């Protein structure tokens, strides 16, 4: 039987197109350009949301919803900024790249677990507050007769869909945070060996 | 040495090992190429900060493994297992196929892909002929923990490849 180690070390290699420094620099620049594009896309989306919402507010399209709509715009901006801050960059920071693998892995997981376990605060709450406000305005308008009673059915649909959606989001974040935490604990146990 | 010179020197010495690492973690050719490029880029960038804090070998392997960890974290796949759990999986009874080098290699790669960190890293470095002290330095495990894992890896290889004495 062939020795697995020998088989391993005698694998065929591949041509390395990154042995040319000029090529490495081109790819490094492309990577940075990709990050810039991602940021531009995020900000373009924010700008579009703001523009549409402000246009609706300025036209007086939904006067009763003016302030919740403005708050929703602020929520979009806050969440986009948070996503931008928290999402792992495609490249590693150079000062972290050469840490012992176990420490590096644990730090990555801790960062992930921290963001996920607080997602209710930085992701859900900014949207939930204006959403609840809008529902409250709808209810008030129905009760005071400013809106037809038939709208109550629509309001209930919004409430049920909202509860289902946000519960699913919360469960997904909690599950991911728990998985990351379990992995951290496993790595801590390995480190303590 | 400049950043560029250090990078070129490192890939001249460790390039084949980096290819083997990428090939192990990413069976898909496109994703493997992406991972390999990520490793090379991380390595080149890291040399801006390298001032002999550890050996060149340790530095290169740490950067490569950390880049692979990040890639694995981005792409969640099947449940990963420990060396003990993997040892419980019986070796396929295929003497004809097992004799071929390509088959041995494919099985080694599959075994590593199924392992959870840091067991996968230890096995990969063991196959790269790194000694226990080097593996401990690269992974951050204690030398004792590495020795235990190497012992299990030898048993695993022995059972999976029907060897008399492991590797």
């Amino acid at each position: 039987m062939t020795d697995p180690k020998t088989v391993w070390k005698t694998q065929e290699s591949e041509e390395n197109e990154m042995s040319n420094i000029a090529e490495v620099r081109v790819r490094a620049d492309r990577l940075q350009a990709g990050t810039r594009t991602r940021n531009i896309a995020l900000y373009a989306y924010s700008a579009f949301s703001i523009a549409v919402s402000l246009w609706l507010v300025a036209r007086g399209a939904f006067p009763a919803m003016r302030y919740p709509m403005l708050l929703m715009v602020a929520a979009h901006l806050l969440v986009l900024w948070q996503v931008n801050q928290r999402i792992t960059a495609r490249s590693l920071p150079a000062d972290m790249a050469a840490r012992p693998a176990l420490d590096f892995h644990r730090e990555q997981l801790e960062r992930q677990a921290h963001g996920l376990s607080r997602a209710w605060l930085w992701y859900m709450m900014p949207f939930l507050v204006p959403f609840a406000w809008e529902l409250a305005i709808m209810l008030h308008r129905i009760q005071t007769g400013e809106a037809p009673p038939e709208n109550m059915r629509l309001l209930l649909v919004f409430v049920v869909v909202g509860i289902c959606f946000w519960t699913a989001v919360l469960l997904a974040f909690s599950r991911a945070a728990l998985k990351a935490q379990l992995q951290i604990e496993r790595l801590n146990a390995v480190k303590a060996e | 040495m400049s950043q560029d010179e250090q990078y070129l020197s490192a890939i001249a010495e460790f390039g084949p090992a980096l290819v083997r690492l990428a090939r192990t973690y990413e069976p898909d050719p496109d994703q493997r190429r992406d991972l390999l490029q990520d490793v090379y880029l991380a390595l080149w960038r890291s040399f801006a900060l390298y001032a002999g804090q550890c050996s060149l070998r340790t530095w290169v392997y740490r950067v490569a493994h950390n880049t692979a960890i990040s890639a694995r974290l981005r792409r969640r796949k099947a449940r990963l297992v420990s060396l003990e759990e993997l040892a419980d999986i019986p070796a396929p009874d295929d003497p004809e196929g097992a004799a071929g080098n390509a088959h041995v290699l494919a099985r080694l790669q599959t075994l590593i892909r199924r392992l959870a960190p840091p067991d996968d890293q230890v096995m990969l470095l063991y196959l790269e002929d790194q000694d226990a002290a080097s593996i401990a330095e690269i992974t951050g495990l204690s030398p004792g923990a590495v020795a235990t894992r190497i012992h299990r890896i030898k048993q695993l290889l022995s059972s999976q490849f029907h060897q008399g004495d492991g590797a």
Side-chain angles (χ1 to χ4, degrees), chain B residues 62-77:
Chain B
R62 278 181 180 175
V63 171
H65 279 271
N66 289 345
T67 310
I69 286 169
S70 292
R72 279 187 122 182
L73 282 173
R74 282 197 297 270
R75 281 191 289 277
R76 300 259 178 221
K77 291 180 192 164

Side-chain angles (χ1 to χ4, degrees), chain A residues 1-5 7-21 24-25 27-28 31-32 88-105 108-109 112 179-180 183 186-187 190-191 193, chain B residues 4 7-8 11 16 19-20 23-24 32 34 37-38 40-41 44-45 49 59 62-63 66-67 69-70 73-74 76 98-99 101 104-105 108-109 112 116-118 121 124 126-129 138-142 145 149 161 163 167:
Chain A
M1 176 82 201
T2 315
D3 171 25
K5 246 185 176 179
V7 174
W8 184 264
K9 292 292 294 263
T10 52
Q11 288 179 52
E12 277 181 34
S13 199
E14 291 171 14
E15 194 184 337
N16 176 17
E17 54 193 6
M18 300 282 275
S19 58
N20 179 338
I21 287 293
V24 175
R25 288 183 191 280
R27 306 247 176 178
L31 188 76
Q32 289 213 325
T88 311
R90 191 163 162 72
S91 62
L92 300 177
D95 59 340
M96 284 177 68
R99 304 208 56 192
L102 193 64
D103 299 337
F104 174 84
H105 190 187
Q108 294 282 85
L109 285 170
Q112 208 174 63
K179 277 175 77 174
Q183 286 189 63
R186 193 181 63 78
L187 290 182
V190 168
K191 183 81 178 172
E193 279 180 31
Chain B
D4 291 351
Y7 169 77
L8 290 174
I11 60 166
V19 170
R20 290 193 286 269
R23 196 179 278 160
T24 304
R32 183 169 72 226
D34 286 350
Q37 284 182 6
D38 284 352
Y40 285 134
L41 272 179
W44 178 72
R45 294 174 72 218
L49 299 171
W59 186 271
R62 278 181 180 175
V63 171
N66 289 345
T67 310
I69 286 169
S70 292
L73 282 173
R74 282 197 297 270
R76 300 259 178 221
N101 283 0
V104 171
L105 189 57
L108 282 171
Q109 289 169 336
I112 297 172
Q121 294 155 0
L124 217 153
Y126 169 76
L127 290 170
E128 288 292 340
D129 247 348
I138 292 163
T139 58
L141 286 165
S142 69
R149 279 170 173 75
F161 298 96
Q163 289 186 309

Side-chain angles (χ1 to χ4, degrees), chain B residues 54-129:
Chain B
C54 55
S55 71
L56 181 67
R57 179 187 55 194
T58 299
W59 186 271
V60 171
Y61 277 120
R62 278 181 180 175
V63 171
H65 279 271
N66 289 345
T67 310
I69 286 169
S70 292
R72 279 187 122 182
L73 282 173
R74 282 197 297 270
R75 281 191 289 277
R76 300 259 178 221
K77 291 180 192 164
R79 192 179 79 86
L80 302 174
V81 299
S82 67
L83 272 167
E84 295 98 307
E85 290 171 286
L86 199 59
D88 292 337
I89 299 170
D93 191 15
D94 179 15
E96 273 185 37
N101 283 0
H103 187 85
V104 171
L105 189 57
R107 269 169 56 197
L108 282 171
Q109 289 169 336
T110 304
L111 287 172
I112 297 172
R113 276 180 211 135
R114 293 192 65 177
L115 281 172
D119 290 354
D120 58 340
Q121 294 155 0
V122 176
M123 183 158 171
L124 217 153
L125 291 164
Y126 169 76
L127 290 170
E128 288 292 340
D129 247 348

